[in-house]
Amino acid sequence: MYHTFLRIFQLILMKMKLKFFESVTTYYLAILKTNRNIYCPGWFLFGIIVRSMFLYVKDNDMVDTPRAERFSAKFVVSVQELISVFLQSHTGTSERSRSCAYFLKDLFSVVDRGIIFESIDEYINTPGDATQDECKLIFLKIITSYEHFIPLNCPIPIQIVEGTQLFKYTEDLYSKHFLVGILLGKIAEFYRSFALLNENQLRSQAVQVLRGALHKHEKDPRYHGLEQQQRICSMYFPFLITTIEDINHRIAALNKNEKR
């Protein structure tokens, strides 16, 4: 019934030389810009947009067309703007972060993934309070559950050159394995911010997200080969560096307190 409804409206709009997903995106963005506090069921409207996009690709035999060429540049910009305005309007709301994360996860399969990376990076690196950080962890947990998460991160082994400083090696890993880098960077941020009142809770939640991702990789039959597992482990290596640095900071803090 749901898909029938979408297809009927899609056909009507096509006769009017309009695309359903473009119309919904345009009007949803206009509503949010007019009143950022208005309640709109994001999960429902995002679902309509992405399903309409899939139907459009299928109906126009564009399955083999490169993702970057399936939709107009204007529409892609509108999608990015919609995501940005939506998250800015409802920062700190777990329901909004969750619905947007599912939307972006669905978009991985239909649009140029570069624009999704940009939207994820913008949201995760926007400063916020502890409540907003919890929402970002919910967001990242959903993103890491994407079935092709590992290929998205280009698990190519990086050679460690003797004498290379650890922070430089970590930066290289973050840049080459983007989504893993986003997750580990957020975890490192929580580890460094041990002055926060919610430190233990946020750190625990962040580690649970990481643990869930690693468990999923371990159980995935596609990655049971030794070489594949080694490459996956190399992507998450910066977490060990973060843990060691945190231990050193805490030992130094304890020693400082004992001297007082």
Side-chain angles (χ1 to χ4, degrees), residues 87-133:
L87 290 172
Q88 288 175 12
S89 303
H90 306 96
T91 303
T93 308
S94 60
E95 178 188 348
R96 306 294 179 171
S97 296
R98 187 178 288 108
S99 62
C100 193
Y102 280 118
F103 178 51
L104 289 173
K105 191 175 81 164
D106 288 339
L107 287 180
F108 273 133
S109 300
V110 70
V111 300
D112 179 14
R113 290 162 175 173
I115 69 167
I116 307 175
F117 289 167
E118 291 175 5
S119 296
I120 293 173
D121 183 59
E122 178 185 357
Y123 173 54
I124 296 300
N125 290 312
T126 299
D129 56 24
T131 301
Q132 293 162 356
D133 281 333

Side-chain angles (χ1 to χ4, degrees), residues 149-167:
F149 181 77
I150 291 298
L152 279 180
N153 285 280
C154 302
I156 302 173
I158 298 176
Q159 297 296 327
I160 301 179
V161 180
E162 186 175 352
T164 302
Q165 294 182 333
L166 283 179
F167 79 88

Side-chain angles (χ1 to χ4, degrees), residues 77-95:
V77 171
S78 295
V79 170
Q80 286 184 294
E81 189 177 5
L82 173 61
I83 294 167
S84 179
V85 173
F86 180 83
L87 290 172
Q88 288 175 12
S89 303
H90 306 96
T91 303
T93 308
S94 60
E95 178 188 348

Side-chain angles (χ1 to χ4, degrees), residues 190-217:
F190 294 148
Y191 267 73
R192 288 192 296 267
S193 304
F194 50 79
L196 289 175
L197 293 176
N198 290 15
E199 166 208 356
N200 291 333
Q201 181 181 350
L202 284 174
R203 284 161 56 114
S204 176
Q205 290 175 355
V207 171
Q208 285 299 320
V209 173
L210 174 61
R211 182 179 179 182
L214 291 174
H215 179 73
K216 184 174 182 295
H217 303 333

Side-chain angles (χ1 to χ4, degrees), residues 34-48:
T34 302
N35 186 351
R36 296 198 172 194
N37 294 319
I38 192 171
Y39 176 76
C40 289
W43 63 270
F44 177 71
L45 294 175
F46 284 150
I48 287 177

